[in-house]
Amino acid sequence: MKEPSAFDKVDQVIYRILRYISYAATAFLFITMMLAVVNVVLEKLHKLGVPVTGISDTVNWIKYMNICVVYLGTAYITLERGHSSVDLLTRHYPKIVQRILSAVAYLLGGVVIAYISYLGYAKVFLNQLANNARINDTLASSFPQWPFGLIYFVGMGLLSFSCFWAFIRVLFGRKPAQDAVDPEEENAEIMAEENAKTRKEEGQA
């Protein structure tokens, strides 16, 4: 079996960590969905005379939950290349030109997003802490905003890191940002190719 290189091992670890973080985004999406469904059901029951009311601050909760859904999943999506990619022109360029353009794009994207992450920390997160901001400004007992500000700037930081790692992958001759190496899958493919080759040779003999 092919022994994965040190780079491939690191690549696989990063890939898995970002994937596990994206599971948290999925969990928040499920919570958001259930919150909306339960609130609608309770409101319908209330209109039918059942002594129940909808969940308070539902709109605000869904709005802030969406921050978790988006910013905890973007880094993994970037590494998976799940985002939209317009390559009507670049796909016709020579491979070396495509690699250079990809490297420059990921590097610049990482720098810009890192700056946005910093602004999220300095202008959003710290401001929420200093002002004791709440998701409902009219209720002093409402849930604080700062956990969502934290997720925002951390999520942007992870996205920036994902772009920088994609840049490094290009430098190492890997695909820009997808199909992180899984040694088990790669070895399975190699074994399948070798078995097919053996069967072909035996058939010819």
Side-chain angles (χ1 to χ4, degrees), residues 20 50 97 102-103 110 148 179 199:
Y20 293 148
V50 179
V97 176
S102 294
F148 301 101
D179 300 333
R199 287 194 297 270

Side-chain angles (χ1 to χ4, degrees), residues 114-133:
Y115 179 66
I116 295 174
S117 177
Y118 164 73
L119 292 179
Y121 170 76
K123 302 295 183 180
V124 178
F125 175 69
L126 293 183
N127 183 62
Q128 290 172 341
L129 280 178
N131 295 311
N132 194 27

Side-chain angles (χ1 to χ4, degrees), residues 160-176:
S160 175
F161 172 78
S162 182
C163 288
F164 284 129
W165 187 249
F167 167 74
I168 293 173
R169 296 194 87 229
V170 173
L171 294 185
F172 273 79
R174 304 300 198 276
K175 292 181 180 180

